Amino acid sequence: MSITGTVVRRAGPADAAALVSLRALMFQEMGSDIGDPDAAWLVSAERWFADRLGKPDEFAAFVVDDPVDGVICCAAGICDSHAPTPKNLSGLHGTVFNVSTDSRHRRRGHARGCLTALLSWFQDETEVQVVNLNATGDGIGLYESLGFVPPRFPALAIRLT
């Protein structure tokens, strides 16, 4: 699939390590300590992605490859089951996460391409009617340009650990 001049493809199980690498980059750039290259969370995350990539009805990730650097951009999404509502009989919500681009390849439309492909997957291949995400200052312009708006009711969170 080519979007904005960028060739986007759906990730497969062999891409799990690359998705984790871009996830680590994302967290690092958000100021999180990601630990050593053999940190336990990296192993757990790779296992999680490999498992989810085998569930194409509820999870999808889209990536862009570079001939030299490999996978340089990704966007992932998952279907979350909630109780049905008057406007959402399936109860399914979508969550976008892991939108990350290698810093050497930014500002070329890769994230837009991956996210557009992911939103098409939600729309065409799932019963999701609402898609949520958390935005950083770097990404909010992209998300707003694709139609994301602040929720009618603000999301709150509590960290239990």
Side-chain angles (χ1 to χ4, degrees):
M1 170 185 305
S2 180
I3 300 171
T4 64
T6 297
V7 177
V8 177
R9 68 173 175 82
R10 187 156 181 183
D15 294 305
L19 294 173
V20 173
S21 178
L22 286 167
R23 185 168 181 78
L25 172 68
M26 177 187 71
F27 283 132
Q28 192 170 36
E29 291 184 353
M30 291 169 50
S32 294
D33 178 7
I34 61 167
D36 297 325
D38 60 347
W41 82 270
L42 295 167
V43 174
S44 294
E46 186 170 345
R47 194 169 33 249
W48 187 91
F49 276 109
D51 178 62
R52 294 314 179 282
L53 286 162
K55 299 177 180 179
D57 293 341
E58 61 187 61
F59 175 83
F62 291 87
V63 298
V64 172
D65 294 299
D66 178 81
V68 174
D69 297 325
V71 175
I72 57 165
C73 182
C74 66
I78 195 162
C79 297
D80 301 316
S81 182
H82 296 259
T85 66
K87 293 185 179 181
N88 186 350
L89 296 179
S90 74
L92 285 179
H93 289 226
T95 301
V96 170
F97 64 100
N98 221 66
V99 179
S100 182
T101 305
D102 181 307
S103 59
R104 299 167 294 176
H105 297 275
R106 291 194 178 139
R107 314 293 308 160
R108 298 180 193 168
H110 302 317
R112 178 177 298 279
C114 288
L115 189 53
T116 299
L118 182 62
L119 293 174
S120 293
W121 172 76
F122 277 126
Q123 184 171 9
D124 299 340
E125 298 182 41
T126 75
E127 294 183 41
V128 165
Q129 295 180 5
V130 175
V131 178
N132 299 300
L133 58 73
N134 291 316
T136 63
D138 290 340
I140 198 161
L142 168 63
Y143 305 135
E144 289 175 339
S145 75
L146 291 171
F148 284 88
V149 295
R152 195 169 108 198
F153 301 105
L156 304 175
I158 185 171
R159 185 166 304 280
L160 299 174
T161 58

